[in-house]
Amino acid sequence: MTTKKVDFIIVGQGLAGSCLALQLLFRKKRVLIIDRIRGNSATRVAAGLFNPITGRQMMKTWMADTLFPYLHSFYREAEKFLQSNFFFPMPLYRPFVSVEEQNEWMGRSEDPMFSNFIESLHTDSVFDHQVKNPFGGLLLKQCGYIDTQLFLTALRKQLQRIDSLLDEDINEQHLEITPQVIRYKEWQAEKIIYCTGASNTSNSFFSWLPIRPLKGETLALETTEPVEIIYNRGIYVVPNLWKAGATYTREETPHVTEEGRLELMQKLDELVAFNYNIIGQQWGFRPTTPDRRPILGSHPVHEQIAIFNGLGTKGVSLAPYFSEELVHWLENGTPLNQLVDINRYKSLFSKST
Ligand SMILES: Cc1cc2nc3c(=O)[nH]c(=O)nc-3n(C[C@H](O)[C@H](O)[C@H](O)COP(=O)(O)OP(=O)(O)OC[C@H]3O[C@@H](n4cnc5c(N)ncnc54)[C@H](O)[C@@H]3O)c2cc1C
């Protein structure tokens, strides 16, 4: 059996593994991805939304000033590299819930901390044939969505073309780890990086990390309404993909639920003013961490085994920037941002051994 040499082996082709693989391919590195498609993996069911101002309190998301400009250039470059269109910048409209919220935002919208992300502020209802917004709302910029299925498929095809994909679950019995090289079947690499999302518990190197599944359900809609804005309040509706979501629960039942459907239908009716039919429902598990930050870095004992995980609810905006940070660390030893460094959980490893 001839040995196939690559620089890195990546396990898992969700957003984490895909962005990491692209960063390496952009730099002309050789990679092997080991991934078996799971229909319910987070990336495959995600709505693909990126939005810098989120949540009930409408907070600016962590590192938005860095992550958002970066993700725009990254996905554009990825589209060119893969010759596929999956990146769709689009304004997002968030109706105000009350006059108080409207007043608050009239002040905040002048604040340079937010103004880069605000296209316009409306004190009266707009787009009211499509959205219920009696107090007006905020039209946000630097938002949009990626079609995650198209993104994964385009990369997968490219990996297949260059003989860089093993379509299987990793079988760790075939993994040989030496200080110099990693061997897996006929492949040999300098390092292996686990990017297995919420399935992290089933690998033998990183199951001690506190990566917990956070279940989410979405609805698939059908409508003839020509919508060109993402509407978002309590629920988001992504046009073209026609996904509405999502729920957030710690229950780990691997199927869609009636409660999920009812919750989403109620929120949807409070938000949109157009007619639609529900034609499907999906579920998946987000890989979340207690401090809501990703986890990057190497195994406490095996330096050549690394992880990129914990993208939580915001993989679309976190994966591009932090995959580059991981590559700088892998290649040049550039220190990782301490807030994402696996070392913050090192004490859990000692307890587990
Ligand atoms: C319902 C829902 C909606 C969401 N909407 C959004 C959104 O709008 N915007 C946003 O930014 N984020 C969203 N998210 C979160 C986002 O999906 C995640 O942050 C992100 O997809 C996580 O990517 P990942 O690569 O870490 O994990 P995953 O997508 O789970 O990928 C892991 C990959 O590893 C493979 N794998 C696992 N174990 C093995 C093994 N042993 N061998 C080989 N392969 C293996 C899996 O098959 C999979 O392909 C949503 C999540 C859910 C569930």
Side-chain angles (χ1 to χ4, degrees):
M1 198 163 55
T2 46
T3 304
K4 296 181 178 177
K5 285 191 180 167
V6 291
D7 298 300
F8 300 99
I9 296 175
I10 297 172
V11 189
Q13 195 226 330
L15 272 164
S18 295
C19 292
L20 178 60
L22 278 166
Q23 296 280 13
L24 292 166
L25 292 171
F26 291 164
R27 291 166 174 78
K28 310 234 180 305
K29 296 289 168 192
R30 293 159 305 168
V31 297
L32 169 72
I33 290 211
I34 306 169
D35 179 84
R36 179 177 65 78
I37 294 178
R38 288 160 171 75
N40 289 92
S41 67
T43 307
R44 291 197 175 267
V45 301
L49 193 67
F50 50 94
N51 170 17
I53 297 180
T54 59
R56 209 173 297 158
Q57 306 298 323
M58 296 185 77
M59 305 294 281
K60 189 156 102 171
T61 70
W62 179 59
M63 286 183 65
D65 295 317
T66 304
L67 299 183
F68 280 73
Y70 188 89
L71 78 84
H72 281 260
S73 60
F74 174 84
Y75 288 120
R76 283 267 175 260
E77 193 179 349
E79 280 193 319
K80 247 190 252 161
F81 186 82
L82 298 172
Q83 298 187 3
S84 170
N85 290 102
F86 45 77
F87 176 60
F88 302 98
M90 183 177 270
L92 181 147
Y93 186 68
R94 162 62 160 79
F96 294 129
V97 289
S98 61
V99 177
E100 289 73 32
E101 194 182 60
Q102 183 199 82
N103 281 336
E104 199 182 315
W105 274 95
M106 282 168 74
R108 273 201 205 171
S109 61
E110 302 298 321
D111 183 340
M113 180 163 153
F114 293 103
S115 51
N116 273 346
F117 297 112
I118 298 175
E119 183 66 47
S120 52
L121 181 147
H122 301 267
T123 50
D124 293 316
S125 72
V126 283
F127 320 118
D128 49 7
H129 55 298
Q130 294 188 338
V131 66
K132 296 172 186 166
N133 65 133
F135 307 106
L138 272 186
L139 191 63
L140 297 172
K141 56 187 177 185
Q142 295 206 46
C143 306
Y145 68 94
I146 66 164
D147 185 327
T148 54
Q149 292 280 0
L150 284 182
F151 174 48
L152 296 190
T153 305
L155 176 61
R156 208 168 177 88
K157 279 191 188 147
Q158 173 67 7
L159 293 168
Q160 276 161 340
R161 261 195 298 271
I162 58 173
D163 186 25
S164 293
L165 181 82
L166 277 188
D167 193 346
E168 62 186 41
D169 269 331
I170 188 165
N171 179 346
E172 287 177 348
Q173 287 179 344
H174 292 288
L175 199 57
E176 192 191 327
I177 299 150
T178 75
Q180 289 76 34
V181 289
I182 300 279
R183 289 196 192 86
Y184 183 71
K185 298 187 173 174
E186 73 268 39
W187 300 83
Q188 183 178 306
E190 285 168 28
K191 290 199 163 129
I192 183 165
I193 305 110
Y194 276 83
C195 305
T196 51
S199 312
N200 182 60
T201 42
S202 58
N203 79 64
S204 42
F205 302 103
F206 294 108
S207 56
W208 51 275
L209 281 168
I211 296 170
R212 304 223 168 79
L214 178 64
K215 188 177 175 187
E217 295 184 52
T218 57
L219 296 178
L221 310 180
E222 176 187 67
T223 179
T224 51
E225 186 68 25
V227 179
E228 288 175 2
I229 293 175
I230 297 163
Y231 293 120
N232 173 216
R233 188 188 58 208
I235 186 169
Y236 50 73
V237 184
V238 180
N240 308 326
L241 292 182
W242 290 116
K243 277 195 184 187
T247 60
Y248 299 83
T249 103
R250 285 286 171 200
E251 57 110 10
E252 293 187 28
T253 45
H255 52 73
V256 295
T257 62
E258 180 68 4
E259 298 92 287
R261 198 168 70 92
L262 293 175
E263 178 190 324
L264 294 172
M265 280 169 63
Q266 188 193 335
K267 287 185 172 165
L268 201 51
D269 281 339
E270 286 166 11
L271 178 66
V272 303
F274 57 84
N275 293 324
Y276 60 86
N277 295 318
I278 295 169
I279 55 169
Q281 189 174 348
Q282 280 188 306
W283 65 274
F285 292 124
R286 308 166 180 94
T288 62
T289 58
D291 57 8
R292 300 179 182 198
R293 305 281 180 260
I295 299 181
L296 281 65
S298 62
H299 186 270
V301 174
H302 305 289
E303 241 183 65
Q304 23 354 2
I305 306 179
I307 188 165
F308 181 26
N309 204 324
L311 295 178
T313 59
K314 299 197 167 75
V316 174
S317 44
L318 292 168
Y321 178 83
F322 283 107
S323 55
E324 178 168 73
E325 176 151 334
L326 189 66
V327 168
H328 288 160
W329 170 82
L330 284 169
E331 291 211 287
N332 313 319
T334 311
L336 295 165
N337 178 335
Q338 287 180 7
L339 296 175
V340 302
D341 194 323
I342 191 173
N343 280 337
R344 71 195 192 276
Y345 291 121
K346 225 166 42 184
S347 62
L348 298 179
F349 178 70
S350 334
K351 281 183 200 149
S352 74
T353 52

